[in-house]
Amino acid sequence: MSPVIELGEMRHGESADEPEPAPPRRPPGPAVRVALLGVLVLLVVHAAAGPPRRPVPIRIPAPQGAAFVVRPDRVVVADGPGATGRGGRVVAAYRLPGGEPAWRFALTDGDHVLGLTTVAGGLLVTSSPAGDGDSVSAMLDPATGTLRWRHPGYPVRPPPAGCCWRTPARNVLFAPPHK
């Protein structure tokens, strides 16, 4: 006997190349739904936040060549060589972040600023008369601009406990900070 191969029957309109229909698709499981919902919430929150904001710049009035000291709560500016003829030199503080004026300290007429720095919790301003004259250092309260003390000379490498000054009359003089 010869082997028989059953090919089946073809209905009208069917083709032999068509695949059988796929089984019906199951809906995603609960874990997939929660993950998709989480991603959607993150995208909505991120889009609502908008682009990152850049800090707003502030303008501090200062002449060219001015000396600056930036503290956590304010910027202190000492007039530089560009302030000549403005009716005296000043050291001024401006509040951060807005730039509002906090205080002003006027230097002696004719003095110009040589240096501005923070030392021993104070603001040290070194100035010199225009022309010949000895330099003078003044310690200001950084919060109020009040003069704590004034001393002839200019600072050199201050130690942690005080300040050293060099003057023409004496080579180096040490003075502890005054409170």
Side-chain angles (χ1 to χ4, degrees):
M1 190 164 238
S2 66
V4 178
I5 300 175
E6 179 68 40
L7 295 177
E9 294 180 19
M10 288 185 68
R11 294 188 183 121
H12 182 19
E14 285 186 11
S15 135
D17 294 336
E18 285 183 24
E20 288 190 32
R25 192 165 188 203
R26 291 185 331 169
V32 173
R33 288 184 203 153
V34 169
L36 287 174
L37 181 63
V39 168
L40 180 64
V41 167
L42 284 175
L43 288 174
V44 168
V45 168
H46 182 68
R53 294 184 187 153
R54 297 178 71 184
V56 178
I58 59 170
R59 292 186 184 253
I60 303 290
Q64 186 173 8
F68 293 89
V69 169
V70 179
R71 299 181 51 88
D73 60 341
R74 63 193 68 220
V75 175
V76 181
V77 181
D79 287 349
T84 306
R86 287 189 20 207
R89 308 282 172 90
V90 296
V91 177
Y94 300 91
R95 289 182 190 90
L96 292 178
E100 302 87 16
W103 52 260
R104 294 174 63 85
F105 176 79
L107 296 172
T108 307
D109 278 345
D111 278 10
H112 64 279
V113 176
L114 298 175
L116 178 66
T117 187
T118 55
V119 174
L123 189 65
L124 186 64
V125 180
T126 306
S127 61
S128 176
D132 291 333
D134 293 339
S135 57
V136 175
S137 294
M139 182 68 80
L140 305 179
D141 183 325
T144 63
T146 306
L147 179 67
R148 288 184 183 171
W149 49 261
R150 187 182 307 255
H151 191 79
Y154 59 93
V156 290
R157 272 195 251 147
C163 297
C164 289
W165 283 271
R166 183 163 286 175
T167 63
R170 293 176 236 137
N171 193 11
V172 175
L173 172 70
F174 172 77
H178 295 47
K179 297 277 179 179

